[in-house]
Amino acid sequence: MSTELSGAEITVRCLQKEGVDYLFGYPGGAVLYIYDELFKQDKVKHVLVRHEQAAVHAADGYARSSNKVGVALVTSGPGVTNAVTGIATAYMDSIPLVIISGQVPTHAIGLDAFQEVDTVGITRPCVKHNFLVKDIAELATTIKKAFYIASTGRPGPVLVDIPKDVSQQKTAFVYPESVSMRSYNPVTKGHSGQIKKAVQLILGAKRPMIYTGGGIILSDAASRLTDLVRMLGFPCTNTLMGLGGYPATDKQFVGMLGMHGTYEANMAMQHCDVLVAIGARFDDRVIGNPKHFFNQDRKIVHIDIDPSSISKRVKVDVPIVGSVPDVLDELIKLLKVSREKPDQTAIDAWWTQIDLWRARDCLKYDRASPIIKPQMVIESLYEATRGNAFITSDVGQHQMWAAQFYKFDMPRRWINSGGLGTMGFGLPAAMGVQFANPKGAVACVTGEASIQMCIQELSTCKQYNLPLKIVNLNNRYMGMVRQWQEYFHGNRYAESYMDALPDFVKLAESYGHVGMKIEQPGDVEGALKEAFKLKDRLVFMDFITDQTENVFPMVPGGKGLSEMILV
Amino acid sequence: MRHIISLLMENEAGALSRVAGLFSSRGYNIESLTVAATEDATLSRMTLVTAGSDDVVEQITKQLNKLIEVVKVVDLSDGDHIERELMLIKVRAVSKDREEIKRMADIFRGRIIDVTDKSYTIELTGTGSKLDAFLGAIERSAILETVRTGASGIGRGERILKV
Ligand SMILES: Cc1cc2nc3c(=O)[nH]c(=O)nc-3n(C[C@H](O)[C@H](O)[C@H](O)COP(=O)(O)OP(=O)(O)OC[C@H]3O[C@@H](n4cnc5c(N)ncnc54)[C@H](O)[C@@H]3O)c2cc1C
Ligand SMILES: Cc1ncc(C[n+]2csc(CCOP(=O)(O)OP(=O)(O)O)c2C)c(N)n1
Ligand SMILES: [Mg+2]
């Protein structure tokens, strides 16, 4: 007879079997048996955060920067509700996570027990799937399924809720080798007939555009995409989530598109005759007003693994449901053997047009300013790290400047919350990135408002010696909010001023880190260099930046892509 | 346009709330929803009646398919199908009305399944519009209580929804 293990031990053994090296969590009554088992082993290393939201963001940063499933552990009730923001953040950006939550004992469920919440109910709209394990016999298979569902198809967070008594009961442990579910069979191969149609459209294009998103990053298809784009000689744009999918320093890259995208990317998007969308979901921040988008006639090919991403906001002509790597392989193969070639004369003319748009120099800013310009800090950060750092960000103007001015040549280097836009994401995500990439340089670009939403994690960083570099673009405003108020609310800056700010230098020091305050443009480069030299220390750089700076270009709400406000 | 959608899903606690939650969170219209286990106890079958433009209904079926516990989805309105709904209706039936109501039930092929000296309870099956017609045919003030199941549907002929 095999020995019986407790539910808690089974949980930990499952994590070991899945090759989980780091688990981000916070203890409490309902998960004490699980913590007890974690204590007895050292394969799965537990990282103690200071707030459950940060546990999930850290697991998320870990996943985004590594292509592994991120794992978090939280207790019932407030542990779960604190985690919800993190879960929703991961859900909106399709990040593979497994969240294990404790629950009150099965016999107490439904009785308003101490620290009871309906976890499955609360998280249902923001997970790919969730489970409540009521029977210990199902625990191991459920955890196996959770990892499988989280990481296949369109990835996403999966939550497993484990009642305390289930973690205490015992049963024989068998970890299934594989899972098969009749109700869940994600496709990977694209329909060959559809791919042929796509090839025809691509070859016939006179003003082509390749628009790619998070799907390229999530499926590790950046090198295939680069092959395709170079082979065709077409312009390529990335969404905020797709940055690094195509090398930003390449001449065929026209920059990010969308609300704060470049003039050339948005104009090319609007005026192209064939649009190839790959792993991108036509978000409202990307195409602006759909009516305006369709004032222009174009054919659209859309490759996405999730059928519901296709023709959701924008009707497409050639939908291809499949995984990016599989579909691109097929597409490249067909293009290589095709005797037809793209119309080079037309494409040259198209590039001439694009170069005219480029000449508009939409990202220009006052480089001679006596006050630190935020854009300049990002450019210096790029120089100081030679473009090789992992950059996480919070949400606001600083996020947009980081996206516009740090030229990402590699995938999984740009880690930000796009879909939910969660302030507070940057610091804990950076912790997860650093755990996944112990040798990598990791910087968190943030604002004085965002950083205060998870500032307590400076303590976690101290405990685990995480040498993060925090780049605080301190404009004493919720800049992004202020910018909207300036343009759309008659300069009435309602509650967007950040008053009573802490002294960030002293704050960093009190947590045991290095703090720097930088007030002169001439000091920016030196400060960054010095910070990155401190290889084993967290450095908090408080850059006092121009309060009035705005992010341009900007497509105002309800307007079309080509109706940008420019500097 | 009105659509009648049938789906098979794992007969698990919480599966129904995922479907209901999907409709409310995405703002889809839901006219009726019926669900029960099938002959295979591991599966439930659900019939949903909804209304929306073609684009919306396309999204609805895609989103339903995306639910992990949903095994199969068909839009029955895409082809020939049969729809039935059951209604139980209690009507006031005294003196000369008793004969009239019984005749009306016969015309609609309803059955009287419970009788008191003041009322009849009638069981009636058919399409929603037939049930509506019956309600219209009976004097409003005579209706004491009604309960309807919402539509169930099945494809005609060889159209089969099975795992
Ligand atoms: C302040 C702020 C401003 C913003 N401004 C902009 C802006 O100017 N421009 C911009 O682009 N965004 C902007 N965003 C982000 C925006 O809200 C969206 O998050 C983003 O545009 C979505 O990116 P995406 O289309 O790449 O989709 P993602 O959310 O990354 O979705 C990925 C898509 O790829 C698919 N996919 C996943 N895996 C695979 C696979 N293996 N094979 C095929 N397909 C797959 C998924 O099904 C999904 O459809 C902003 C956000 C904030 C907070
Ligand atoms: C949790 C959360 N609350 C509110 C918002 C709305 N919001 C978006 S940007 C922003 C201001 C961010 O200010 P700061 O971090 O200083 O960045 P800046 O725009 O000044 O660079 C706010 C409040 C949000 N995105 N997330
Ligand atoms: Mg600010």
Side-chain angles (χ1 to χ4, degrees):
Chain A
M1 216 193 91
S2 64
T3 47
E4 299 207 317
L5 306 186
S6 71
E9 197 172 354
I10 288 174
T11 305
V12 175
R13 291 279 288 272
C14 289
L15 299 182
Q16 293 175 350
K17 290 268 186 192
E18 286 295 333
V20 175
D21 50 0
Y22 287 103
L23 167 64
F24 303 89
Y26 206 90
V31 283
L32 279 184
Y33 288 106
I34 299 176
Y35 271 88
D36 207 22
E37 291 305 328
L38 283 170
F39 188 81
K40 296 178 193 161
Q41 55 87 58
D42 55 11
K43 278 201 187 119
V44 181
K45 290 175 279 294
H46 181 273
V47 176
L48 178 68
V49 294
R50 300 297 183 266
H51 187 297
E52 288 86 352
Q53 177 185 348
V56 184
H57 287 332
D60 181 326
Y62 178 96
R64 291 185 203 232
S65 64
S66 71
N67 189 25
K68 290 206 273 178
V69 176
V71 190
L73 171 62
V74 299
T75 193
S76 69
V80 165
T81 52
N82 271 352
V84 167
T85 299
I87 298 172
T89 301
Y91 179 69
M92 289 297 279
D93 292 340
S94 306
I95 306 303
L97 297 186
V98 169
I99 299 100
I100 294 178
S101 56
Q103 182 54 281
V104 302
T106 45
H107 58 80
I109 291 178
L111 302 179
D112 301 319
F114 176 63
Q115 295 195 328
E116 177 184 4
V117 291
D118 174 8
T119 300
V120 164
I122 285 179
T123 58
R124 195 180 51 227
C126 60
V127 291
K128 184 171 174 188
H129 198 57
N130 57 19
F131 298 93
L132 168 63
V133 185
K134 281 188 166 165
D135 180 355
I136 188 177
E138 285 174 7
L139 181 59
T141 1
T142 304
I143 294 178
K144 179 84 192 175
K145 278 185 189 167
F147 277 89
Y148 171 63
I149 294 171
S151 58
T152 52
R154 178 177 184 169
V158 178
L159 178 138
V160 182
D161 200 24
I162 307 177
K164 188 164 186 178
D165 53 335
V166 173
S167 71
Q168 193 184 7
Q169 290 155 10
K170 291 194 161 184
T171 192
F173 173 57
V174 192
Y175 199 59
E177 289 289 313
S178 62
V179 254
S180 92
M181 296 167 70
R182 62 180 170 186
S183 63
Y184 176 70
N185 299 290
V187 285
T188 51
K189 283 254 164 304
H191 188 282
S192 59
Q194 292 294 91
I195 299 178
K196 285 198 187 102
K197 278 192 209 159
V199 168
Q200 281 317 307
L201 278 182
I202 289 170
L203 291 173
K206 299 205 179 315
R207 299 185 311 278
M209 177 72 158
I210 296 179
Y211 143 63
T212 79
I216 299 288
I217 314 291
L218 293 164
S219 66
D220 284 320
S223 63
R224 281 183 181 81
L225 172 70
T226 308
D227 290 349
L228 175 76
V229 175
R230 292 218 171 117
M231 184 177 142
L232 290 169
F234 290 0
C236 180
T237 181
N238 293 160
T239 67
L240 181 71
M241 298 314 294
L243 293 175
Y246 189 81
T249 52
D250 189 273
K251 60 184 188 315
Q252 279 169 258
F253 187 64
V254 294
M256 181 173 86
L257 82 167
M259 180 175 277
H260 294 296
T262 64
Y263 184 66
E264 51 272 29
N266 287 343
M267 292 303 275
M269 186 79 177
Q270 181 70 20
H271 294 284
C272 65
D273 69 340
V274 172
L275 177 63
V276 185
I278 314 175
R281 56 186 173 84
F282 289 93
D283 187 82
D284 47 301
R285 296 230 151 180
V286 168
I287 54 155
N289 186 337
K291 278 210 192 82
H292 181 276
F293 189 59
F294 280 109
N295 286 345
Q296 214 72 34
D297 211 24
R298 67 177 86 65
K299 294 278 183 227
I300 305 179
V301 176
H302 191 182
I303 304 168
D304 203 291
I305 203 163
D306 179 357
S308 77
S309 278
I310 298 179
S311 292
K312 179 164 62 180
R313 303 187 69 249
V314 165
K315 270 259 170 256
V316 305
D317 304 278
V318 182
I320 303 174
V321 176
S323 190
V324 171
D326 292 76
V327 177
L328 287 195
D329 280 349
E330 198 61 32
L331 200 64
I332 291 171
K333 209 164 70 192
L334 287 179
L335 284 166
K336 275 193 178 145
V337 300
S338 161
R339 257 171 283 128
E340 253 177 276
K341 295 289 161 212
D343 176 349
Q344 205 47 54
T345 325
I347 307 237
D348 288 346
W350 179 227
W351 273 112
T352 307
Q353 170 64 70
I354 291 172
D355 286 336
L356 283 175
W357 287 325
R358 259 184 182 155
R360 185 71 181 69
D361 194 11
C362 68
L363 296 179
K364 63 174 174 267
Y365 65 91
D366 178 9
R367 286 167 198 275
S369 163
I371 313 169
I372 299 177
K373 288 285 182 182
Q375 299 95 323
M376 177 236 188
V377 179
I378 305 293
E379 286 189 330
S380 297
L381 175 64
Y382 178 80
E383 296 301 331
T385 56
R386 286 179 217 88
N388 276 326
F390 291 84
I391 308 291
T392 73
S393 101
D394 268 302
V395 174
Q397 292 181 317
H398 60 272
Q399 176 187 24
M400 295 299 112
W401 287 315
Q404 292 174 335
F405 289 89
Y406 199 97
K407 298 184 277 294
F408 294 94
D409 279 343
M410 283 173 286
R412 299 194 180 278
R413 294 296 168 117
W414 167 237
I415 314 287
N416 84 134
S417 165
L420 199 68
T422 309
M423 290 170 68
F425 175 80
L427 175 57
M431 302 187 323
V433 172
Q434 189 76 80
F435 278 109
N437 305 275
K439 299 221 170 72
V442 184
C444 166
V445 175
T446 185
E448 78 297 330
S450 291
I451 191 68
Q452 293 190 78
M453 284 214 181
C454 271
I455 192 82
Q456 75 286 346
E457 296 308 317
L458 285 175
S459 170
T460 311
C461 295
K462 183 64 193 168
Q463 181 175 345
Y464 298 94
N465 294 315
L466 302 177
L468 307 178
K469 305 295 177 268
I470 297 176
V471 177
N472 188 35
L473 299 181
N474 188 343
N475 52 7
R476 286 85 68 213
Y477 268 117
M478 296 175 200
M480 185 56 90
V481 174
R482 189 199 50 73
Q483 180 169 348
W484 279 61
Q485 288 168 333
E486 179 180 332
Y487 277 90
F488 313 119
H489 299 277
N491 297 301
R492 290 179 299 280
Y493 299 142
E495 306 298 327
S496 57
Y497 183 68
M498 288 306 285
D499 211 348
L501 284 171
D503 176 335
F504 284 110
V505 172
K506 281 193 190 146
L507 182 74
E509 284 168 359
S510 84
Y511 277 108
H513 302 305
V514 179
M516 293 179 183
K517 184 171 184 171
I518 304 98
E519 295 177 275
Q520 299 302 324
D523 295 337
V524 171
E525 198 186 314
L528 282 162
K529 277 210 178 113
E530 193 186 326
F532 279 96
K533 267 195 207 131
L534 296 171
K535 288 214 181 314
D536 51 357
R537 298 297 298 275
L538 183 149
V539 184
F540 192 116
M541 286 160 274
D542 190 19
F543 292 95
I544 307 304
T545 60
D546 187 346
Q547 287 198 282
T548 58
E549 190 59 42
N550 285 329
V551 183
F552 295 113
M554 168 161 77
V555 180
K559 292 286 182 175
L561 263 189
S562 54
E563 301 173 309
M564 285 162 272
I565 303 175
L566 295 163
V567 255
Chain B
M1 213 183 82
R2 176 179 182 275
H3 285 253
I4 175 159
I5 295 170
S6 256
L7 58 96
L8 285 172
M9 59 187 185
E10 299 291 351
N11 187 5
E12 273 164 22
L16 171 61
S17 60
R18 288 184 210 280
V19 174
L22 173 70
F23 274 72
S24 64
S25 68
R26 295 199 180 257
Y28 302 143
N29 165 300
I30 189 162
E31 248 170 52
S32 71
L33 182 164
T34 68
V35 62
T38 63
E39 78 285 0
D40 170 355
T42 67
L43 285 173
S44 303
R45 169 133 177 183
M46 182 182 283
T47 310
L48 275 157
V49 178
T50 180
S53 64
D54 290 349
D55 291 352
V56 169
V57 173
E58 182 183 329
Q59 267 298 313
I60 291 178
T61 49
K62 284 173 170 178
Q63 293 290 347
L64 284 168
N65 264 312
K66 210 167 136 177
L67 294 176
I68 304 290
E69 283 154 339
V70 168
V71 186
K72 266 191 183 165
V73 181
V74 290
D75 185 345
L76 287 176
S77 338
D78 280 347
D80 278 352
H81 66 279
I82 303 164
E83 250 181 81
R84 288 293 179 271
E85 181 174 356
L86 168 69
M87 173 167 71
L88 302 178
I89 170 166
K90 194 172 287 186
V91 291
R92 186 163 35 74
V94 284
S95 61
K96 65 176 192 332
D97 288 349
R98 287 178 86 81
E99 200 38 46
E100 172 65 17
I101 285 168
K102 182 162 181 330
R103 234 186 27 203
M104 197 62 84
D106 285 343
I107 293 172
F108 280 83
R109 301 187 193 209
R111 297 196 302 141
I112 296 175
I113 53 174
D114 189 34
V115 177
T116 70
D117 53 2
K118 289 202 197 69
S119 72
Y120 284 149
T121 300
I122 303 164
E123 167 195 322
L124 192 64
T125 350
T127 59
S129 52
K130 174 181 157 186
L131 305 190
D132 292 342
F134 182 71
L135 287 171
I138 287 193
E139 199 197 318
R140 184 103 212 170
S141 63
I143 301 173
L144 299 173
E145 184 181 351
T146 63
V147 53
R148 295 170 67 151
T149 57
S152 290
I154 197 162
R156 269 195 193 277
E158 308 300 309
R159 274 188 102 195
I160 286 167
L161 173 59
K162 212 174 160 72
V163 184

